[in-house]
Amino acid sequence: PRGTAMSVLTRAEDVAAEVKRRVETITVAQGSETNIGAAVYLGRRGEQIDSEMVPCTTVIEGNDNPATDMVRTQVRNAQKYMLFGFLPCDPLHPNVSAHAALRDLKRAMFKDGITWGGRVRRVSYLGREIAPRSDGAAVVLAAIEIEVEFVEDLAAP
């Protein structure tokens, strides 16, 4: 079948590690607007984040969507990832910080194009969110969702 060109990253956990590595570059010291890369958690849920942990990001893996056209044991797989950035904010204007975090997350995911320099087949941007928060809270949550398409070898997971 056409369109099953290989990718360098061939396992969802390797893709998640690459997402984490990219988010870890989001620090003011490295030229970003925020420090949400100061701590990056794989799979930690938002309700487990307390104010002492902020700034930080948590990466949640969503469902995958394997293609039906396989070549031997290789399958194109599209894996979703949600990146939740928690950061301090001005309680009167939380969206100012949230927009900075969204810019940082987008830059980190797409700084070298939609194939991460040829490491995956494609990275797609699926949208963003600024989460509602309690009035007066000094922490805001900004999130983006991406989908990473890579070729997985089911015989060597």
Side-chain angles (χ1 to χ4, degrees):
R2 56 193 153 86
T4 52
M6 283 299 292
S7 54
V8 175
L9 301 176
T10 61
R11 300 179 318 154
E13 64 190 281
D14 296 334
V15 174
E18 177 64 13
V19 169
K20 181 179 187 285
R21 185 192 68 72
R22 286 168 175 271
V23 174
E24 287 172 336
T25 67
I26 302 174
T27 64
V28 172
Q30 295 185 64
S32 296
E33 297 179 65
T34 69
N35 282 312
I36 59 174
V40 182
Y41 305 101
L42 296 177
R44 188 172 195 133
R45 295 289 184 192
E47 60 271 6
Q48 298 171 325
I49 304 294
D50 62 46
S51 61
E52 299 298 315
M53 301 167 76
V54 173
C56 67
T57 299
T58 185
V59 177
I60 303 296
E61 293 185 44
N63 294 334
D64 64 355
N65 184 17
T68 56
D69 59 332
M70 293 177 59
V71 176
R72 296 186 181 95
T73 60
Q74 295 174 350
V75 62
R76 267 190 344 235
N77 204 350
Q79 177 76 43
K80 292 184 179 178
Y81 296 87
M82 285 291 299
L83 289 67
F84 295 96
F86 297 85
L87 68 158
C89 67
D90 176 343
L92 297 177
H93 305 284
N95 285 7
V96 172
S97 295
H99 283 290
L102 292 170
R103 287 190 297 270
D104 282 345
L105 288 167
K106 290 172 185 176
R107 275 191 294 269
M109 291 303 112
F110 295 98
K111 63 185 169 193
D112 53 356
I114 64 168
T115 65
W116 289 347
R119 301 188 75 203
V120 296
R121 289 183 45 106
R122 180 177 54 237
V123 182
S124 300
Y125 174 71
L126 302 180
R128 60 94 168 163
E129 177 182 351
I130 298 173
R133 46 183 273 299
S134 302
D135 284 341
V139 173
V140 66
L141 164 61
I144 69 168
E145 184 176 17
I146 61 171
E147 182 176 73
V148 181
E149 187 177 314
F150 58 99
V151 177
E152 183 175 5
D153 185 348
L154 301 175

